[in-house]
Amino acid sequence: MKWVFQQTIGQLFVKSDTKKSLRVFSVALSGTMGIGNIIGASSCVLLFGAGSLFWMWISAIVGMINNNVLVVAEIVIAMHFRKRIQGNYYGGPMMNMQEGLKMPKMGVVYAILCFVTSIGIGNLVPMNALVSMLDYRLDIDKSVFVIVLSVCLGFILFKGKDVIENVCMYMVPLMSFLFIGATFVIVCLNLDSLWG
């Protein structure tokens, strides 16, 4: 158990550059936690009642089976077709299409569509959910909040992968603990309704 702690959360307290495993893990985990887990699940319960939890569990079990097989296949293919250019690795679906399928134009189209999708699903939906929640709870100027948050996110993104990894390394554990803690508090505050 001590070894597991040292290799994961314990890496936060190490003052050396051996934090690579936690950084990579945090970036990968940050891509799987977010709008679907928090806003999607809560909206489903709000709109369709507590019975929708059962169907979310069923779809999660089926999704995990499919997802794990697909993720392993994607990783193996991406590792095979990645290219090392000036000391950095470049890969992903675009490189798979270019090198594996020999369809570079399809890779370009895929990259453009990913960019367009990232604006909608990756940015506008979470930003709208965050601003709506804050507007519901606090009396703040939404436009100022959106501008400040956008500048902060832009700074992180344009600084490159090292800054993104460092931010994820601290934010993902914090976000996970806050999410689990908030869920636990909500359940404790509604214990009388739990068994019903």
Side-chain angles (χ1 to χ4, degrees):
M1 188 66 171
K2 182 180 175 186
W3 180 85
V4 171
F5 177 79
Q6 287 173 343
Q7 296 301 314
T8 55
I9 301 299
Q11 294 277 319
L12 290 172
F13 308 106
V14 175
K15 294 219 186 281
S16 67
D17 199 32
T18 60
K19 299 181 179 183
K20 192 68 176 168
S21 58
L22 181 63
R23 288 165 61 176
V24 172
F25 173 74
S26 297
V27 171
L29 194 58
S30 69
T32 62
M33 294 171 49
I35 196 73
N37 301 82
I38 299 167
I39 303 300
S42 58
S43 299
C44 192
V45 172
L46 181 67
L47 292 172
F48 304 110
S52 59
L53 281 174
F54 172 77
W55 294 109
M56 282 193 279
W57 289 337
I58 297 298
S59 63
I61 290 168
V62 174
M64 280 190 301
I65 295 166
N66 271 342
N67 231 4
N68 290 337
V69 172
L70 290 175
V71 166
V72 169
E74 286 174 8
I75 291 170
V76 170
I77 292 169
M79 294 292 285
H80 181 72
F81 289 115
R82 70 183 177 171
K83 292 281 181 196
R84 189 175 184 126
I85 303 169
Q86 296 177 351
N88 293 318
Y89 282 108
Y90 295 92
M94 294 75 67
M95 194 67 75
N96 298 347
M97 291 174 196
Q98 178 180 322
E99 300 296 323
L101 297 176
K102 306 295 183 202
M103 302 172 96
K105 289 180 182 173
M106 190 170 155
V108 171
V109 170
Y110 182 86
I112 292 168
L113 292 175
C114 280
F115 174 74
V116 172
T117 304
S118 72
I119 292 171
I121 296 171
N123 293 303
L124 296 179
V125 175
M127 187 68 82
N128 180 51
L130 181 61
V131 170
S132 300
M133 181 209 48
L134 288 175
D135 188 44
Y136 178 73
R137 291 286 180 196
L138 305 170
D139 186 27
I140 60 166
D141 186 3
K142 288 187 270 190
S143 58
V144 171
F145 176 77
V146 169
I147 290 170
V148 169
L149 189 59
S150 299
V151 168
C152 291
L153 291 174
F155 174 78
I156 292 167
L157 291 174
F158 288 115
K159 278 294 191 178
K161 77 176 183 65
D162 289 335
V163 174
I164 294 170
E165 286 177 353
N166 284 330
V167 169
C168 287
M169 185 172 69
Y170 291 99
M171 286 298 294
V172 168
L174 176 67
M175 182 175 63
S176 302
F177 288 127
L178 286 175
F179 181 62
I180 293 167
T183 305
F184 183 71
V185 168
I186 291 169
V187 169
C188 289
L189 290 174
N190 295 287
L191 275 177
D192 53 335
S193 306
L194 186 62
W195 303 115

